[in-house]
Amino acid sequence: ICANGWLIRRAGRVGQSRTELLLIFVDLLIMTLGMIVPNPFSDDVRPLAMQYRFDNFQYFFVILAAGTLAYSWRTVVAIGSWTALSWTAGWIVAWWVATPIPGISQKVAAALQGYPDVAELLDPNSFDIPQRIQQVIVFVMVAVTLGVSMRRLNRLLMSNAGLERERANLSRYFSPNVVDELSQNDEPLKQVRKADIAVLFIDIVGFTKFAAGRDPYEVIEVLRGFHARMEAEVFRHHGTLDKYLGDGLMATFGTPVATPLDASNALGCARAMVGVIDDWNRERLRAGEHDIHVGIGVH
């Protein structure tokens, strides 16, 4: 079982893995044989039916519970159905080929004379078939219940993943506080409305001349550094990134919801951008690179 578990771990893949399911089936088969077949290394002689008196079937519930960690209802249902089939086939074969030890049943019946139900329950040669059937039915019911739960949980996880993806897309254009507000707002944003907002433009002065003759990789790195720093200031001042404009960007303050602080936020963002560019230029000059000049417009 340990060796097969190692193989399952190696073969496990996200999504449907036929090899993994096959190894899980082998695991269940090993467990079934280990519970039904008498221990060949033991000298103890017992009727084959006694193998079912140790309540080993409960260990299948551990395998079923572990199957839920795959977050796949198909895996859970497969484990449940395979276990039910292998266990049922096992006790039917054992009942068919078993050779009862003579005399034991009669001695139990004689000792419990007057209590036939108790004698039948304690008969070492009895497979207690109703109990075997009950075990399988209860196990299948639990497996189906867990399978339905896994299906619902999987749908919930996919729904949450979709919401997180939408939130990540929003975070590319809106500041964190605006993203929080949008994610909690059920009102449509496409309605036509009028509001006083602030608009900010910034771009690199003389960027065409700066880029001419330079390695494209270097140019892209400068743009990435510039956009990242300016975007951070827009979001820090509760602005919305409207669009990138080549070597510049456009930001709005007051969208999607206008506030009394939009104008001051826009001016504060412009001043902060100037300070960030000054700091960046000091870093560039120390690295032997050309400084960057920007133009900013606020309305």
Side-chain angles (χ1 to χ4, degrees):
I1 289 179
C2 291
N4 195 59
W6 179 80
L7 291 175
I8 292 175
R9 182 176 178 83
R10 292 293 300 272
R13 294 291 184 271
V14 176
Q16 298 184 23
S17 175
R18 294 181 179 179
T19 304
E20 184 180 8
L21 289 176
L22 176 62
L23 292 173
I24 291 175
F25 176 76
V26 172
D27 224 19
L28 297 173
L29 187 61
I30 293 172
M31 290 184 63
T32 301
L33 293 175
M35 295 176 187
I36 295 176
V37 179
N39 185 0
F41 303 103
S42 175
D43 296 330
D44 191 9
V45 179
R46 296 173 181 163
L48 187 57
M50 288 290 292
Q51 293 292 109
Y52 293 90
R53 299 302 177 95
F54 306 124
D55 292 330
N56 288 329
F57 187 79
Q58 61 189 345
Y59 293 108
F60 283 114
F61 285 96
V62 177
I63 301 297
L64 183 64
T68 62
L69 298 179
Y71 296 101
S72 170
W73 67 271
R74 293 182 178 87
T75 301
V76 174
V77 173
I79 292 175
S81 57
W82 291 344
T83 300
L85 290 174
S86 62
W87 185 255
T88 301
W91 70 256
I92 290 178
V93 172
W95 171 76
W96 183 265
V97 302
T99 302
I101 296 179
I104 295 182
S105 300
Q106 291 77 5
K107 291 180 180 180
V108 172
L112 296 172
Q113 190 173 7
Y115 303 95
D117 293 337
V118 179
E120 182 181 356
L121 180 64
L122 298 180
D123 183 2
N125 288 320
S126 173
F127 280 86
D128 197 2
I129 293 178
Q131 180 66 20
R132 306 287 77 79
I133 297 175
Q134 177 180 313
Q135 287 176 334
V136 171
I137 292 176
V138 172
F139 189 84
V140 170
M141 292 173 61
V142 173
V144 171
T145 303
L146 289 177
V148 173
S149 299
M150 286 300 101
R151 186 176 178 86
R152 291 181 177 178
L153 178 60
N154 192 267
R155 287 180 177 177
L156 180 61
L157 290 175
M158 295 301 294
S159 175
N160 286 340
L163 293 175
E164 286 299 320
R165 183 170 59 252
E166 293 174 2
R167 187 181 180 90
N169 290 333
L170 286 174
S171 66
R172 299 178 184 177
Y173 302 96
F174 300 104
S175 59
N177 62 317
V178 176
V179 171
D180 291 337
E181 187 170 350
L182 287 175
S183 62
Q184 298 173 6
N185 187 9
D186 295 329
E187 295 297 325
L189 298 177
K190 294 184 178 180
Q191 293 179 345
V192 178
R193 61 190 185 279
K194 183 178 181 180
D196 293 325
I197 67 169
V199 183
L200 181 150
F201 289 92
I202 181 172
D203 67 353
I204 299 176
V205 177
F207 182 75
T208 303
K209 181 180 178 181
F210 172 85
R214 278 187 166 80
D215 180 70
Y217 180 82
E218 179 186 353
V219 175
I220 292 299
E221 283 299 305
V222 170
L223 281 178
R224 286 169 57 89
F226 172 73
H227 285 152
R229 288 171 171 81
M230 299 304 99
E231 174 189 296
E233 291 307 313
V234 171
F235 291 164
R236 192 166 69 86
H237 290 83
H238 311 295
T240 298
L241 177 62
D242 186 83
K243 63 176 68 70
Y244 289 115
L245 301 168
D247 60 316
L249 59 83
M250 171 185 172
T252 58
F253 298 80
T255 56
V257 180
T259 70
L261 300 176
D262 296 331
S264 57
N265 285 337
L267 290 174
C269 180
R271 293 192 180 97
M273 285 176 166
V274 173
V276 170
I277 292 296
D278 290 340
D279 294 339
W280 190 28
N281 280 331
R282 281 190 286 270
E283 296 176 8
R284 292 181 59 81
L285 291 175
R286 282 195 297 268
E289 300 172 346
H290 293 280
D291 55 352
I292 300 294
H293 300 281
V294 299
I296 304 177
V298 180
H299 189 281

